[in-house]
Amino acid sequence: MAAWRPTHPPSAEGSWPFVGRTTELAAVRSALLDPRASGVIVAGDAGVGKTWLTGKVAANLDPRRNLVVRAKATEAAARIPYGALAHLLPADPAPGEGPRLDPEAVAGPGRRLVLSVDDVHNLDPASTALIVDVLGRGDARLLAAARTGAEIPAPLDRLYRDGALHRLELGPLSHAQTALLLETVVGGQVDDAGARRMWRIAGGNPLFLRELVLAGMLTESGGVWRCAAGPTLSPRLRELIEARIGAIDDEERRALEYLALGEPLDEALLRRLAGADAVGRVTARQLVTAIPDEAGGRLLRLSHALYAEAVRAGMGPLAARARLRRLAEAVEDAGTHRREDVLRLATWRLDSGGDTDPRLLLRAARIAWSGFDLELAARLASAALNGYLARPGRRPGGAGMAAALLATVLHFADRDREAEVALSEVAGRLRDDRERALHAGARALVLALGLADDRAGQRVLDEAAKTVTKPESRRHLLSLSAWIHVTAGRLAEGAGAVERSRALVPAGPPVVAATEAADALLHAYGGRSYRAIAVAEAAMNDIAKWRDEIPIAMTYFTQARTVAHLFAGETAKGLDGAARGLGLVREFGEWDRVAASFSGWRAQLHRLRGELGEAMRWSRNGTARLGDRSAMYAGLCYGELACATAQLGRVDEAEWALDRAADLSRPAWHGVEFSILLARPWVLAARGDTSTGVDVALVAADDAEEHGLLGYAMFALHDAVRLREAGDASVAVAAERLEAVARRMEGALAPLCARHARAAVNADADGLMRVAQEFEGRGLILYAAEAAAQAAGVHEAAGDGRRASAATARARALAARCDGPRTPALAHLSVPRLTDRQRQIAQLAAQDLTDREIADRLEISVRTVGNHLATVYERLGVSGRGELAELLAGAPPG
């Protein structure tokens, strides 16, 4: 793993590539060239890229029509008359007159003078007057940059208010703009979480972003760039931040330190801690921003994330602990009325080094866990466990609860060995049914899903079930048993556990939600898409009743809906579900395992749509989150990467990804890792061994049906059909099995795949073209291209050249929308060739020009146009201009 380093140290602000500001560039250029105005002022915060943007606009002006002269106004030059423009003035002005600039004399005949002035707010009065004079005396424009909040010289401000100058505010980069800039700089893919984190830390400020990259915040692994765990404050970056903060007195520093340690803070609380005057001053200087509070007050936070880093870096450990203790005391005195207060109070107490009530720590750990802050939840739960165990001579009341929570959090953070240690510390000391059930449930998750010994996990649950008597505790154990079964791909056993759980009443909302989460996943993987969606939606309607106790269920319900839409062929809804899942993770923190799962499913959905480039990108997003460790969803992400790269003909990369999938996946995760088996036929086909690929696809279908994974059985059987030419009897059994599977599944995709298989086996060209049209209508463009290509093969075998050409052209147009696929069905397309003249005439005819209009435009005879068009129609298999226009809209013939 290596951090990014420039090939040569960038020294100027403009040394980074100009990307991500296309809209702003066009807006500034349009404002500058507006004939009704005299120019534009671009305003923005320091480092946001004002000079960068105005310089790019100036550089893109036509030098034959514009002469750009540059000036920079500084605070030092502002004390000297004409200081900013001295280099532009004549050496010997006329006696008795002040310096003047004649735009035409300076620019020359036929050219416009463009004055590009940086930091225009620093202009001295004489320079300002001279610029106003120039703008009023000829064809001249002002292209200026100013800092937001700074006072523009009054004469220029009047021009703006009179409409003679435009003013555009340049805001920070968006997340998408930041990602584009980072990828341009490093020359590779930056994972979604890394780009978002860099954007959040830098606040969209290109200057800060540049310094973070130069400090080594991005590291590359497996071809994907990720963001380091914490911001690296290089000396240069710290200087920039301190300069932005400026000189502050002791009271102001104290206010900033409290905010850096505890933001956001209630304004009234901060005023009591640091003084009302100091808070008012840092707020007036825009070092602090206020946001409305639900209670009607205001919460204060530092204006930039890097301000907090710089302030904390300047504090000693003793001072930081003292501030944290004072914060905790102040919040305790005010009373902890909000969940956030409980969490922050416990964290401050823990970080200040004082003795803390383990009950407060455990309560706060649950709140952190409900927000998916795994690191903080583990710290708090560990401290709570140690606090309970440290009570000499007393039963460790609460220790079992703390150990179970700690082990659960550690498991989902992929720290299962540590989770085992935590559980062992309280084994034999458990007080009641609830503690025994929670302890056994956590240990089962660690063994089954963490250490890949699902049978051992099931034994722990079975043994615990013999010792607990309360229905709610037994139901908790059964719901976890169902989770383990579905993850391992044993859907029948999972369904049995769900039914036994439901038979036990009563149960509280958290236990009910755990059962319903397992049931939603069972329906989704079993191909019962709409039942899965209904179960998930009903449970999510009651989220407020169970979220704090079992937050992981939120991700399971979102996963179930995403997978359900996937198997139903509803790719747009599936992509929306995957995006919601990623947003859920980002809302509370970057949780690698869950983020990887949604990245993998997003890749799978893009692949179904034929968006193979996006499929690769999201696969790599997932693999970057997992790294080189064996973890759940490694098989999904690497398997999807292998499948997408194989379908693009990138054999070496596909084989590497498949090997990684096999190495990092575990048998206990069979139900969620089936992409490995789906990828193998495509990797074989990419090597040229299509026959073996078909056999492997059929074996994968056997495996899926054996486990009840009907959705994956559908994909595997359909893949076998896709890998063979139409009319191949060897896949007749696949078509029959696919029809049987389709009868058991919900949604439109399975029946459509079955019709495709039957049309392919029967060499039904018309049926294949109808299927292609249906696939296209559902957004499954690669499937549509392959079906049309198979139809072309049937027509060609029958000697129908015209219809073969039409089907081939349609297949090529569809394939052109899929990022260059090289699947077996598309590899043997006959490519219709047109001469340059034929292509030219075809394109004009597609625009509905008559033969006479085409002849006049190309200066050829009408007869020549007609002859060429007859040849074009024959080669492309179309019968007129309408079909030709439709065909060329998909992809121009080559």
Side-chain angles (χ1 to χ4, degrees), residues 260-262 312 316-328 343-356 361 375-376 379-380 383:
L261 293 169
R312 286 194 294 265
L318 293 179
R321 288 182 179 182
R323 294 274 185 265
L324 288 169
R325 281 194 297 272
R326 187 69 188 92
L327 275 170
L343 180 58
R344 295 196 297 165
L345 177 60
T347 305
W348 294 338
R349 284 295 187 191
L350 184 61
D351 290 342
S352 67
D355 186 32
T356 308
L361 293 170
E375 182 179 355
L376 181 57
R379 284 186 62 225
L380 292 166

Side-chain angles (χ1 to χ4, degrees), residues 481-668:
S481 176
W483 285 12
I484 292 171
H485 281 308
V486 70
T487 304
R490 295 188 297 268
L491 299 198
E493 291 92 329
V498 166
E499 291 306 311
R500 294 196 301 277
S501 174
R502 284 178 171 160
L504 294 170
V505 291
V511 175
V512 172
T515 304
E516 297 306 292
D519 193 42
L521 288 169
L522 286 164
H523 285 311
Y525 282 106
R528 298 177 294 277
S529 295
Y530 301 133
R531 274 175 280 184
I533 294 168
V535 170
E537 289 181 348
M540 289 294 284
N541 287 336
D542 292 330
I543 187 172
K545 299 178 181 178
W546 51 260
R547 171 175 165 172
D548 282 358
E549 292 293 324
I550 184 168
I552 186 63
M554 287 191 290
T555 68
Y556 285 170
F557 288 126
T558 309
Q559 288 175 356
R561 287 190 291 191
T562 301
V563 173
H565 288 305
L566 166 73
F567 291 145
E570 298 169 350
T571 56
K573 292 181 178 179
L575 286 172
D576 180 66
R580 287 173 181 268
L582 288 166
L584 180 69
V585 177
R586 284 196 294 263
E587 181 182 351
F588 304 111
E590 296 296 349
W591 187 355
D592 282 340
R593 182 197 293 186
V594 176
S597 74
F598 287 110
S599 293
W601 281 314
R602 187 161 184 172
Q604 198 167 41
L605 286 153
H606 280 299
R607 181 171 59 79
L608 258 63
R609 293 168 65 91
E611 297 160 352
L612 300 182
E614 282 295 290
M616 287 177 56
R617 181 177 184 84
W618 283 102
S619 296
R620 287 174 174 157
N621 261 314
T623 60
R625 302 302 292 266
L626 299 174
D628 295 329
R629 68 182 186 273
S630 178
M632 188 181 294
Y633 307 117
L636 169 64
C637 295
Y638 279 105
E640 282 304 315
L641 180 58
C643 204
T645 49
Q647 290 179 355
L648 285 166
R650 301 165 67 159
V651 182
D652 291 344
E653 188 173 356
E655 290 180 339
W656 172 84
L658 188 58
D659 288 343
R660 296 293 288 167
D663 290 343
L664 299 179
S665 183
R666 299 284 186 88

